[in-house]
Amino acid sequence: MAECQRSLLQAQRKALPIASARDALLREIRSHDCCVVVGETGSGKTTQIPQYILESGLGRKGCVGVTQPRRVAAVSIAIRVALERCCPLGQEVGYSVRFDDKSSPATKLKYLTDGMLLREAISDPLLSRYSVILLDEAHERTVHTDILFGVVKTAQKIRSEKQLKKLRIIVMSATLAAESFSNYFNKAKILYIQGRQFPVEIFYTAIKQQDYTHATVTTVLQLHEDSEKKGDILVFLTGREEIESVNSLLTLCKVMFPSDWLDMIVFPFYAALPTKKQQDAFLPARGGARKVILSTNVAETSITIPNIRYVVDCGMVKAKGYNPHIGLDLLSVQPVSKAQARQRAGRAGREAPGACYRLYTEDYFAELLNDTVPEIQRSSLSSVILQLLALGISNIVEFDFMDPPSEESLVRALEQLYLLGAIETDSSEEGVKLTALGLKMAQFPLEPSLAKTLLSAGEHGCGVEIVNIVSMLSVDSVLFTPQDKRERALESRRKFVSPDGDHLMLLKIYRAFKSVKGNKSWCHENFIHMRHMSTVMDVRRQLTELCGRVGVELGTGGAECSEGVRRALIGGLFMNIAEHAGEGKYLTHKTRQQVYIHPSSCLFHVKPHPPCVVYSELVYTSKCYMRNVSVVESDWSTTPTTPR
Ligand code: ADP
Ligand code: MG
């Protein structure tokens, strides 16, 4: 490497806010086994602290591991740090993410996703190759991070009891809510890093934007047009497709720029982008052009691109989100929290005063959640347990959760998993273990009962149909009923109605949508939400991919699939069966609770009332209603019995 680049990089390192705290930090880390480090994004936590540890010799008895929730961050940070240390990637500095391992026995500093460290912990619960583990981006509170907290804490304790090599733990977070981390790690010392934050002016839109990608393009162009405005623009969008479509729109517009305008260069930044292209976003644009970086939320806290003065925030994020309809987290586009919106805005004020353009109204902002809720509290317990077991953690009741669930709900969830055939008692140890079926179920981001439905659909020869139905269930409702066209909407719906119930109706709608290739005017004429349908297609793609990965043969039942579909539904939803008890009142099988068919169901008006039904979910309003209901025969279900 050229000497001048080396000295430039060293000068940059020395100029970071964290550099002046280096010695004090090392002193604290040396004298405490656990520390929590809090500092503004961009201050240098992720790239510098691990290097300080390495340089001080603190970690010399093993490897220094730094975890990241996102793969794209782990990779790009490792590349940066290798560059700063003038070593080829995979030697002293490396990374390890799913399907891509750039580390070697020589690696002393390893960036890895928290999923990868959990995987390592299965074969080596004491994490014995590590002397220091830095749990980065702790404020994100993904299920993996939360579980990792427990795994690392236990490893540290056991290593100390057995007088093995010491394990130091450093938790790093970009938010000030550090007490909960500190309390969890036995009142760990909290260290605050002074960051730099210049004022950022916030702008909102006056009215709600119908299409934020369009609003993004307009805003970026207006900003760029103003030659008084110096500095680069960082745009937050939700994912690859959106980023690429804004990218091509901006590129089209560029052709029409007057010749006296500054040049503008657009850099996409998302996980699926080749690493080389990701790295380009960090370089200064040639000829002093203005850079426009179109990024997913990875640029919120995990990575820092220099010279940003303007932030454009669409207000949405693609995240693993709790989906109440299918019970669990699938990637979906959802509103950000206030904390996230502030964090995004902050990116504009790291080097000088800046501005943030929110592509939503101030009222919209006021309604956002304050903080992102920890994922573990949004997922159902049975699915969290399924994940723990898949990670080889069998003594669930004893597990040291940062936010522990009640023992009663743990036991209930274990019972459900047993009935689903996902777990069995482990004769050799205290505890339970996954069955082969359970291991497959754990791969799906669905409520275990739906995962089971999906996995057992093959037996009934209707895997494809069940994937389609589950995808349709993942959105609110694909049907819309405008007040002024109510009659017409209901009329057009009649052709989709199925005597067997809502699940088959959803399947009919899906098939009709597919046969017109997602035609927009067809959706309009049939009162179908186009946007929800594209979410359905996205979910469907993800589920189909997963089925392929775990080796599930889907098979299709074609036109005559109704009975197979309903039998498959019972395969997983056998706890959601209800029997008619007269005058429209139903009683649930297991708990004898009074429930009714929801007015939105196509079975609502059916007389006589079907004697036995299966439902997807219960909603409580004036009464307890079953939503998405199908007719079944009572002798189809062979409910397993509870173990004793
Ligand atoms: P933190 O973890 O506190 O958010 P980082 O250690 O990730 O901070 O980043 C510190 C600084 O390093 C950033 O402000 C940025 O200026 C610089 N930096 C990080 N990665 C790169 C990169 N790939 N290229 C250029 N500069 C980078
Ligand atoms: Mg960081």
Side-chain angles (χ1 to χ4, degrees), residues 17-32:
I18 205 167
S20 57
R22 182 183 191 272
D23 295 343
L25 267 171
L26 282 173
R27 219 176 306 122
E28 297 289 357
I29 293 172
R30 201 181 296 270
S31 49
H32 297 93

Side-chain angles (χ1 to χ4, degrees), residues 471 475-479 529-537:
S471 312
V475 295
D476 231 349
S477 168
V478 294
L479 306 170
H529 273 298
M530 175 83 185
R531 223 159 43 91
H532 289 185
M533 283 307 298
S534 53
T535 309
V536 168
M537 300 311 278

Side-chain angles (χ1 to χ4, degrees), residues 46 136-137 301-302:
T46 311
D136 202 0
E137 308 282 327
T301 62
S302 302

Side-chain angles (χ1 to χ4, degrees), residues 155-206:
Q156 184 184 54
K157 181 159 161 266
I158 296 177
R159 271 163 63 165
S160 141
E161 283 167 3
K162 293 193 175 166
Q163 299 188 337
L164 298 168
K165 186 173 67 189
K166 186 197 274 287
L167 175 63
R168 291 177 197 280
I169 302 174
I170 301 173
V171 179
M172 305 205 284
S173 165
T175 58
L176 290 174
E179 280 77 22
S180 50
F181 300 126
S182 162
N183 288 340
Y184 179 74
F185 285 102
N186 311 317
K187 298 252 174 298
K189 176 96 184 192
I190 305 180
L191 313 169
Y192 293 93
I193 314 265
Q194 198 70 40
R196 288 195 203 107
Q197 180 64 55
F198 294 89
V200 175
E201 201 175 351
I202 309 278
F203 298 93
Y204 294 94
T205 58

Side-chain angles (χ1 to χ4, degrees), residues 9 12-13 16-18 39-50 68 76-77 79-81 83-84 111 136-137 172 174 193 196 278-279 281-283 301-307 343 347 350-351:
L9 283 168
Q12 278 177 5
R13 283 191 66 191
L16 286 172
I18 205 167
E40 300 263 25
T41 304
S43 53
K45 299 182 296 300
T46 311
T47 55
Q48 304 307 308
I49 296 181
Q68 296 290 320
S76 80
I77 292 163
I79 292 175
R80 169 70 180 184
V81 173
L83 193 69
E84 289 186 358
Y111 288 87
D136 202 0
E137 308 282 327
M172 305 205 284
I193 314 265
R196 288 195 203 107
Q278 287 172 8
Q279 291 315 109
F282 290 95
L283 303 172
T301 62
S302 302
I303 61 134
T304 299
I305 296 170
N307 202 35
Q343 177 66 35
R347 313 306 282 134
R350 293 294 173 227
E351 291 164 34

